[in-house]
Amino acid sequence: MTECGYNGVNIVEAYAALRNNYIEGSDGFYLTEKLNVAKNITVKCDRDCMEIKYLWINKNKVKIIIEFSGGTTEICFKENKNGTKVITKSYPD
């Protein structure tokens, strides 16, 4: 499990920053280019992962589940008045 904070940015900005900072082969590499706010979607992967689920808990919290054949990664973005906190958990099979 890893946790990081993006001070002074909203959930969309934190998502873009996290996605842009990942390198090929890491979990953020599989995320869609833009975050669809308040819209639950499932995206099929065309690379190593099987699918990605974007599940909005409320307007300030989204849980992203990336399913691989060898396990699952969960990335949770939670926006508050100070910025956005991101918690990543990996669950190997």
Side-chain angles (χ1 to χ4, degrees), residues 8-58:
V9 300
N10 65 34
I11 201 166
V12 173
E13 294 166 328
Y15 177 91
L18 180 127
R19 184 182 180 276
N20 291 335
N21 287 330
Y22 274 106
I23 58 170
E24 188 169 333
S26 63
D27 297 328
F29 177 75
Y30 302 102
L31 300 177
T32 59
E33 185 175 343
K34 292 185 178 181
L35 181 63
N36 291 308
V37 177
K39 184 175 180 183
N40 293 335
I41 61 170
T42 299
V43 178
K44 296 292 182 187
C45 290
D46 59 353
R47 300 195 181 160
D48 302 326
C49 67
M50 297 170 7
E51 71 178 14
I52 305 170
K53 296 177 184 174
Y54 292 80
L55 307 170
W56 285 88
I57 311 307
N58 59 46

